[in-house]
């Protein structure tokens, strides 16, 4: 393995100042509720508002600000995401079976959370796709009350109309114009006008991520996301122009985005870099791409495909592209990734918007033990046991033995008294 280019800096680091800033924001929202949200709207979003709640009239007005092609594109993407999420939901079944012990039934149920909050970032461009990924999936899971929020978008004084339309098409029950750590706090603890939620999902900046970390335990979260990533595994069959544009597509997300190429062929790497030099000048995101690639881009020349596969599994990227000969065989050996894109005609862009699987994915190597948002994110699986008299007798002795071993006499007697009652 030869490293031809390394990332020059870490893409995400916590610091004491960030922790304390977020802590203060959360405490303010807990103490002052809506008043704090309105003050933060003025401070951060330059909005003079009386409430963060978006009215039906504002949603209706958003449709009038969005062209029909955009609306149809959002509907198409919502249909794709809903189809996949509903098929996932069909895989999740309740279970109720007889135990090995007579008189005992055991099992579990699939129960959606009652209420969730879906956070939609407002970056350099509107992100209606992120609204769809959270809200549509929550609805497919069976969540009854799905709330959505997004910060005000520059020039509109409220949520970007394309994002509002996406929230509505996705089926949001409540929509709030709020963002940052204060939005996470409002969802986690409630305010005078916002009822607290059970679960918060969706990506955000470092303030949002830190806030999710701090409220975890008081409310559930999906994950703690870092900057977006792609790793492309390629060989001599890959098209250098495809490789170059896919690396740039990742780089243009954010200056902290990470794009990695792992290739077994030096000539393909060299040609890819030539294509990148040409293509980058055609993009209006050129400055972001250059900064991201300079700071965080990496290139590895692997001695074999197995070495490339091993490195990909070690890095465990958010997005993993396979552009090789025998791509399905290579894909089968991949074990750690957020979402997999197989074939020379499978760019990450499809997954970002319309192919169906969720684009809220694990980053920073957490794909080694976690997965992206899916219907299961919104569903808890509590267990049950039904025990009749015969089952009680059959379980009694080993249970009382365990209670004695662990020094829990009331546990022992909760069984003993029932057995004695049956005599």
């Amino acid at each position: 393995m030869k490293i031809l280019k390394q990332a020059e800096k870490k893409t995400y680091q916590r610091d004491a100042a960030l922790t304390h800033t977020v802590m203060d924001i959360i405490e303010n929202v807990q103490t002052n509720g809506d008043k704090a949200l309105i003050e933060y709207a003025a401070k951060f979003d330059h909005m003079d508002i009386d409430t963060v709640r978006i009215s039906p009239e504002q949603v209706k007005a958003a449709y009038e600000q969005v062209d029909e092609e955009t609306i149809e594109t959002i509907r198409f993407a919502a249909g794709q995401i809903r189809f996949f999420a509903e098929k996932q939901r069909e895989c999740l079944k309740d279970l109720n079976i007889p135990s090995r012990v007579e008189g005992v039934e055991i099992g579990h149920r699939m129960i959606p959370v009652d209420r969730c909050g879906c956070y939609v970032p407002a970056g350099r461009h509107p992100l209606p796709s992120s609204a769809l990924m959270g809200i549509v999936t929550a609805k497919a899971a069976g969540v009854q009350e799905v709330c959505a929020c997004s910060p005000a978008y520059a020039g509109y004084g409220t949520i970007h109309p394309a994002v509002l339309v996406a929230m509505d098409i996705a089926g949001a029950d409540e929509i709030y114009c709020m963002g940052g750590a204060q939005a996470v706090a409002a969802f986690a603890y409630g305010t005078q006008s916002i009822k607290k939620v059970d679960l918060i999902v969706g990506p955000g900046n470092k303030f949002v991520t830190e806030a999710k970390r701090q409220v975890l335990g008081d409310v559930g979260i999906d994950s703690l996301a870092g900057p977006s990533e792609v790793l492309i595994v390629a060989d001599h069959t890959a098209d250098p122009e495809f490789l170059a544009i896919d690396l740039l597509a990742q780089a243009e997300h954010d200056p902290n985005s990470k794009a990695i190429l792992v290739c077994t062929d030096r000539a393909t790497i060299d040609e890819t870099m030539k294509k990148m030099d040409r293509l980058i000048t055609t993009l209006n995101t050129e400055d972001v791409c250059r900064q991201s690639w300079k700071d965080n881009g990496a290139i590895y020349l692997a001695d074999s495909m197995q070495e490339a596969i091993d490195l990909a599994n070690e890095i465990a990227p958010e997005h993993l592209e396979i552009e090789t000969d025998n791509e399905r065989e290579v894909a089968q050996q991949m074990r750690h990734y957020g979402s997999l894109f197989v074939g020379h005609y499978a760019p990450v862009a499809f997954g970002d918007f319309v192919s169906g699987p969720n684009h809220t994915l694990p980053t920073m190597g957490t794909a080694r033990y976690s997965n992206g948002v899916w219907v299961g994110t919104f569903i808890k699986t509590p267990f049950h046991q039904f025990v009749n008299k015969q089952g009680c007798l059959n379980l009694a002795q080993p249970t009382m033995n365990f209670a004695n071993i662990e020094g829990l006499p009331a546990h022992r007697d909760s069984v003993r008294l029932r057995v004695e009652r049956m005599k």
Side-chain angles (χ1 to χ4, degrees):
M1 178 78 69
K2 292 181 181 178
I3 302 174
L4 304 184
K5 183 185 184 308
Q6 280 186 307
E8 294 184 6
K9 69 172 189 176
K10 288 189 175 181
T11 55
Y12 177 75
Q13 288 180 304
R14 292 180 69 198
D15 60 73
L18 172 65
T19 299
H20 287 294
T21 297
V22 170
M23 192 180 301
D24 290 343
I25 291 172
I26 291 173
E27 183 178 352
N28 189 17
V29 174
Q30 282 184 285
T31 302
N32 297 304
D34 287 347
K35 180 174 180 288
L37 293 179
I38 291 169
E39 289 174 352
Y40 286 130
K43 180 178 180 180
F44 298 128
D45 301 323
H46 312 294
M47 288 174 52
D48 183 16
I49 57 172
D50 297 321
T51 177
V52 295
R53 181 75 179 259
I54 296 293
S55 68
E57 291 75 22
Q58 287 175 290
V59 174
K60 183 178 178 181
Y63 278 87
E64 298 172 1
Q65 296 176 270
V66 178
D67 62 85
E68 191 60 34
E69 183 180 13
T70 297
I71 293 172
E72 288 306 312
T73 297
I74 291 171
R75 286 185 174 137
F76 175 82
Q80 289 286 97
I81 297 162
R82 185 177 296 109
F83 172 78
F84 185 67
E86 288 175 348
K87 291 301 180 183
Q88 288 183 314
R89 182 64 181 90
E90 290 173 9
C91 296
L92 302 178
K93 306 290 186 182
D94 289 355
L95 175 69
N96 194 72
I97 57 173
S99 170
R100 299 186 308 163
V101 175
E102 183 183 354
V104 179
E105 293 177 38
I106 52 178
H108 66 234
R109 292 173 61 198
M110 296 288 170
I111 304 178
V113 299
D114 291 336
R115 183 174 170 84
C116 75
C118 298
Y119 188 94
V120 182
R124 293 176 295 110
H125 300 282
L127 300 170
S129 61
S130 290
L132 299 178
M133 294 292 175
I135 300 164
V136 169
T137 309
K139 280 295 183 181
V143 180
Q144 292 301 305
E145 297 176 8
V146 179
C147 309
C149 77
S150 189
Y153 197 82
Y156 289 92
T158 187
I159 298 171
H160 192 284
V163 174
L164 263 181
V165 167
M167 289 173 167
D168 186 61
I169 289 173
D173 299 292
E174 301 168 21
I175 302 174
Y176 299 94
C177 183
M178 59 182 185
Q182 62 270 26
V184 174
F187 275 158
Y189 302 110
T191 70
Q192 293 87 346
S193 63
I194 302 173
K195 180 182 172 185
K196 69 168 292 186
V197 302
D198 303 308
L199 174 72
I200 300 172
V201 304
N205 62 19
K206 63 183 181 180
F207 293 95
V208 171
T209 300
E210 179 60 27
K212 288 168 73 176
R213 187 194 310 275
Q214 291 189 24
V215 302
L216 176 59
D218 293 324
V219 67
I221 66 170
D222 52 351
S223 64
L224 297 170
S228 190
E229 311 156 351
V230 70
L231 187 151
I232 305 176
V233 173
D235 64 10
H236 66 284
T237 67
D239 186 316
E241 189 167 46
F242 292 175
L243 297 178
I245 198 62
D246 289 358
L247 292 169
L248 290 172
Q250 184 61 46
E252 75 177 350
H253 271 294
D254 184 274
N256 290 320
S257 293
K258 181 176 291 186
I260 304 169
L261 175 61
V262 182
C263 186
T264 57
D265 183 62
R266 180 60 187 259
T268 299
I269 293 174
D270 292 342
E271 187 62 24
T272 297
M273 293 302 99
K274 291 178 184 177
K275 297 291 186 182
M276 181 182 286
D277 288 340
R278 180 184 65 79
L279 290 169
I280 198 170
T281 63
T282 69
L283 305 172
N284 61 13
T285 53
E286 178 180 354
D287 290 346
V288 176
C289 288
R290 287 192 184 279
Q291 189 67 52
S292 175
W293 179 250
K294 175 180 179 294
D295 289 345
N296 312 309
I299 304 172
Y300 297 87
L301 175 61
D303 294 331
S304 67
M305 183 52 62
Q306 189 58 55
E307 190 173 55
I309 292 167
D310 292 343
L311 179 61
N313 280 325
E314 179 183 341
I315 293 174
E318 177 189 20
H319 305 99
L320 176 58
E321 286 190 16
I322 310 297
E323 298 192 36
T324 67
D325 190 24
N326 301 319
E327 66 263 16
R328 287 182 179 268
E329 295 177 16
V330 173
Q332 193 63 34
Q333 297 183 64
M334 298 299 182
R335 301 181 60 245
H336 305 306
Y337 52 85
S339 196
L340 184 63
F341 299 81
V342 183
H344 300 284
Y345 291 87
V348 167
F350 288 148
D352 283 344
F353 305 127
V354 298
S355 59
N358 211 285
H359 78 193
T360 304
L361 301 166
T363 59
M364 301 185 293
T366 59
R368 286 190 295 269
Y369 57 82
S370 65
N371 51 263
V373 168
W374 69 302
V375 291
T377 302
F378 302 91
I379 294 174
K380 52 198 179 71
T381 313
F383 316 126
H384 61 254
Q385 43 256 298
F386 298 106
V387 184
N388 62 22
K389 288 183 177 180
Q390 186 58 52
C392 178
L393 289 172
N394 290 336
L395 295 176
Q397 196 57 53
T399 300
M400 290 190 289
N401 288 346
F402 262 109
N404 286 331
I405 291 168
E406 298 190 5
L408 299 169
H411 282 63
R412 177 198 62 212
D413 290 350
S414 70
V415 175
R416 180 180 60 80
L417 291 173
R418 285 173 168 79
V419 172
E420 290 177 353
R421 184 69 58 85
M422 284 186 270
K423 292 181 180 178

